[in-house]
């Protein structure tokens, strides 16, 4: 059982839960209605089920296992769970888990009884794009678009789903209105997430290319990936000053300090050739992940306080 749980890599789930809550809080602030924690928890069950199925899907033999087998330098945060690589479970268990979880996620939407057209469309997009990550026929992560899909699903569609599932936001697209601040912040979080995925793929470049898996990092090279990641961190700070209002801006900029620190480490490791799986660099993907999750958590905390103060008045 422990191997099966490890195969699903549940350590990444809190991030999607935070982003879902962020969207729900924007809805609450927009409509003036109290947050529906029931709707949030039902939505969370769907999001986590979809998130897990992507992890199991990504481990399956004919989807991404060959890249994991070719990877001689996995870390705790990259290179897959290693459960199938080490032979702890049969390879079909990953596909079975993914199929069952996909069916369960679809059933959750039906049982929840949401009559919202936006919810139906967004949930369908989440499931279909998640499947396309490494599964045929698209296998977008093998063609340098996996990073885009993660940013689109995790940091765009998940908070939008959280927004759409709250009461009072409209059940038809023509009455579904999302504030500009939401889109501005989500655009920055998505760009941040895309850059984080580029860094996550740097340690896997050699093994990925052996398996004909051309991620964005593999396509542009390690040095260019490092430069791009650093440039994005600087751009995020500048863009936030123009697009994000206070106090969300304060939260975003506070966590950006850690993003800049990570960018400096990425630059040093990629431009000097010292990455090369040096022990001191193994935690860089974790730091990049922590930066993204920390930014989402900081912004969500600010929204929680704002919503609480708004309802207290």
């Amino acid at each position: 059982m422990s191997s099966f749980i490890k195969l699903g890599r549940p350590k990444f789930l809190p991030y999607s839960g935070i982003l879902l809550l962020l969207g729900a809080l924007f809805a609450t602030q927009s409509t003036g209605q109290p947050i529906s924690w029931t709707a949030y928890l039902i939505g969370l069950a769907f999001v986590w089920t979809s998130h897990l199925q992507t992890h199991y899907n990504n481990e399956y033999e004919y989807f991404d296992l060959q890249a994991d087998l070719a990877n001689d330098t996995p870390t705790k945060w990259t290179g897959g769970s290693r459960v199938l690589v080490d032979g702890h479970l049969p390879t079909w268990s990953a596909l079975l888990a993914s199929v069952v979880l996909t069916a369960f996620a679809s059933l959750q939407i039906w049982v929840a009884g949401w009559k919202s057209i936006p919810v139906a469309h967004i949930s369908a997009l989440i499931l279909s794009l998640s499947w396309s990550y490494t599964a045929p026929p698209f296998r977008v992560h093998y063609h340098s678009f996996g990073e885009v899909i993660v940013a689109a699903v995790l940091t765009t569609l998940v908070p939008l789903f959280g927004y759409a599932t709250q009461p009072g936001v409209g059940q038809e697209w023509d009455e579904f209105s999302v504030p500009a601040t939401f889109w501005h912040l989500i655009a920055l979080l998505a760009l941040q997430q895309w850059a984080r995925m580029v860094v996550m793929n740097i340690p896997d470049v050699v093994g990925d290319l052996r398996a004909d898996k051309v991620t964005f990092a593999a396509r542009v090279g390690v040095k260019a990936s490092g430069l791009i990641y650093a440039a994005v961190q600087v751009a995020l700070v500048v863009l936030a000053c123009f697009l994000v209002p206070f106090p969300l801006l304060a939260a975003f900029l506070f966590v950006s300090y850690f993003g800049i620190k990570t960018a400096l480490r990425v630059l040093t490791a990629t431009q000097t050739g010292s990455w090369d799986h040096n022990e001191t660099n193994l935690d860089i993907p974790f730091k990049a992940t922590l930066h993204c999750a920390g930014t989402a958590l900081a912004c969500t905390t600010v929204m929680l306080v704002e919503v609480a103060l708004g309802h207290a008045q």
Side-chain angles (χ1 to χ4, degrees), residues 83-223:
V83 170
L84 300 185
V85 172
D86 295 336
H88 296 307
L89 288 173
T91 56
W92 56 260
S93 62
L95 180 61
L96 178 61
S98 182
V99 171
V100 170
L101 287 168
T102 300
F104 186 54
S106 303
L107 183 63
Q108 285 174 323
I109 293 297
W110 180 72
V111 171
W114 276 306
K115 299 177 181 178
S116 165
I117 299 301
V119 168
H121 289 172
I122 295 166
S123 60
L125 267 177
I126 288 174
L127 281 175
S128 58
L129 290 178
S130 297
W131 258 93
S132 72
Y133 186 61
T134 52
F138 300 111
R139 307 189 80 190
V140 293
H141 201 31
Y142 277 68
H143 304 286
S144 309
F145 288 100
E147 298 86 354
V148 174
I149 291 298
V150 173
V153 173
L154 191 58
T155 42
T156 306
L157 292 177
V158 166
L160 188 61
F161 183 75
Y163 186 99
T165 51
Q166 287 297 306
V169 298
Q171 296 189 342
E172 302 285 344
W173 280 115
D174 57 2
E175 58 187 27
F176 185 76
S177 178
V178 181
T181 301
F182 172 90
W183 290 119
H184 294 164
L185 180 61
I186 292 307
L188 296 181
L189 293 178
L191 179 59
Q192 184 187 70
Q193 174 64 35
W194 175 84
R196 170 247 177 181
M197 287 304 300
V198 172
V199 165
M200 291 284 285
N201 290 325
I202 288 176
D204 301 338
V205 164
V206 174
D208 286 344
L209 288 175
R210 289 174 185 161
D212 295 324
K213 180 180 179 181
V214 187
T215 62
F216 183 84
R219 183 174 297 279
V220 303
V222 170
K223 286 190 174 183

Side-chain angles (χ1 to χ4, degrees), residues 246-268:
F246 187 85
L248 277 173
L249 176 61
F252 192 95
L253 293 181
F254 173 75
V255 186
S256 292
Y257 166 75
F258 299 98
I260 296 297
K261 285 184 65 177
T262 302
L264 291 174
R265 289 190 61 195
V266 170
L267 276 177
T268 301

Side-chain angles (χ1 to χ4, degrees), residues 250-287:
F252 192 95
L253 293 181
F254 173 75
V255 186
S256 292
Y257 166 75
F258 299 98
I260 296 297
K261 285 184 65 177
T262 302
L264 291 174
R265 289 190 61 195
V266 170
L267 276 177
T268 301
T270 56
Q271 304 309 306
T272 64
S274 64
W275 187 295
D276 295 331
H277 312 292
N278 185 314
E279 288 294 328
T280 60
N281 295 324
L282 293 181
D283 69 334
I284 289 179
F286 169 69
K287 295 294 185 182

